[in-house]
Amino acid sequence: AQKVTQTQTSISVVEKTTVTMDCVYETRDSSYFLFWYKQTASGEIVFLIRQDSYKKENATVGHYSLNFQKPKSSIGLIITATQIEDSAVYFCAMREDNYAQGLTFGLGTRVSVFP
Amino acid sequence: GPKVLQIPSHQIIDMGQMVTLNCDPVSNHLYFYWYKQILGQQMEFLVNFYNGKVMEKSKLFKDQFSVERPDGSYFTLKIQPTALEDSAVYFCASSEGTGVAETLYFGSGTRLTVL
């Protein structure tokens, strides 16, 4: 069965620095898709970035980038030049070929960005 | 990005009553989902819905749960009767296509409290 693990409960950083979050996953599928979402203080869940398992190059969108290490079943999220508004809970999620089951989420990592 | 709206944001009801949670998905999206998040736990898949039918449901989707989207109006999750363990935040999501690679877009959730 699929499983997504985020071991870091919370991280605090000073703004304008870089924060890195870990995520490891378990799957038996050879093809799968990995996503990162952000949940703001208002509860809104925002899609940030995704990585397709068959792509070797790390995905990058704006100041979000991924560190995809397939042999380690790891998909880290890197946020560069953090801003106060990056404070949120970040969820890692995976979707396997059995798409109907939707996403499997991790527990989330709370990031607090301080001035 | 695309917005999914959920109404209401909070709902408090007595155990045994019926409750309907409403979701207004992204306008051109065809697939709809409900997820459940108990405080401190992972967000978990409940059900997905396409073309008027339930495509897949998890073991969390009890017999007391039902979903529908009559004539393109709200996508709803109905719980009848409610139980104490139904207290959670329920997130609606939608996606445009049918593929496993499709990105899900989430609403801000409805916090359901069953007394």
Side-chain angles (χ1 to χ4, degrees):
Chain A
Q2 60 270 36
K3 186 178 178 182
V4 175
T5 303
Q6 295 177 254
T7 56
Q8 299 155 300
T9 306
S10 63
I11 302 174
S12 295
V13 296
V14 175
E15 68 174 333
K16 302 179 185 176
T17 63
T18 295
V19 63
T20 301
M21 281 165 267
D22 301 329
C23 175
V24 293
Y25 55 89
E26 295 176 22
T27 178
R28 294 182 206 166
D29 280 8
S30 57
S31 177
Y32 49 90
F33 301 85
L34 300 161
F35 302 82
W36 278 91
Y37 287 84
K38 160 186 173 181
Q39 186 172 29
T40 64
S42 67
E44 183 183 12
I45 297 179
V46 180
F47 164 70
L48 297 176
I49 190 170
R50 61 180 266 183
Q51 178 80 39
D52 301 343
S53 65
Y54 57 86
K55 292 185 178 178
K56 292 184 178 178
E57 50 286 359
N58 292 318
T60 297
V61 175
H63 74 148
Y64 303 107
S65 61
L66 297 178
N67 179 15
F68 181 40
Q69 299 183 56
K70 195 170 182 178
K72 296 183 179 180
S73 296
S74 170
I75 183 72
L77 173 68
I78 303 164
I79 308 175
T80 57
T82 51
Q83 302 165 11
I84 302 297
E85 50 266 34
D86 290 322
S87 296
V89 179
Y90 290 81
F91 291 99
C92 175
M94 175 177 66
R95 199 173 193 187
E96 296 177 317
D97 264 344
N98 181 13
Y99 69 90
Q101 282 290 335
L103 294 165
T104 300
F105 283 87
L107 272 172
T109 297
R110 180 176 297 279
V111 172
S112 301
V113 182
F114 295 97
Chain B
K3 294 289 187 185
V4 174
L5 300 176
Q6 288 189 243
I7 303 166
S9 57
H10 293 85
Q11 181 96 41
I12 301 174
I13 59 169
D14 291 325
M15 182 177 63
Q17 285 189 318
M18 181 194 75
V19 68
T20 300
L21 309 183
N22 298 299
C23 171
D24 188 10
V26 179
S27 61
N28 62 333
H29 284 189
L30 300 175
Y31 275 71
F32 314 120
Y33 310 78
W34 283 103
Y35 284 77
K36 176 182 180 180
Q37 185 182 37
I38 295 174
L39 185 64
Q41 298 184 21
Q42 283 150 308
M43 199 151 55
E44 294 190 270
F45 169 79
L46 281 177
V47 65
N48 77 353
F49 188 85
Y50 168 72
N51 198 25
K53 299 176 187 175
V54 170
M55 299 295 291
E56 188 93 14
K57 56 186 179 181
S58 72
K59 56 187 176 184
L60 295 179
F61 193 78
K62 304 181 298 183
D63 291 342
Q64 298 91 321
F65 288 24
S66 62
V67 290
E68 63 175 356
R69 193 190 188 202
D71 299 325
S73 62
Y74 287 140
F75 173 52
T76 62
L77 173 65
K78 183 185 293 185
I79 308 174
Q80 182 180 25
T82 50
L84 294 176
E85 59 265 28
D86 295 331
S87 294
V89 180
Y90 291 84
F91 290 95
C92 173
S94 68
S95 64
E96 183 176 357
T98 62
V100 63
E102 287 295 328
T103 297
L104 272 63
Y105 293 89
F106 287 82
S108 298
T110 294
R111 182 177 299 278
L112 176 65
T113 301
V114 181
L115 302 176

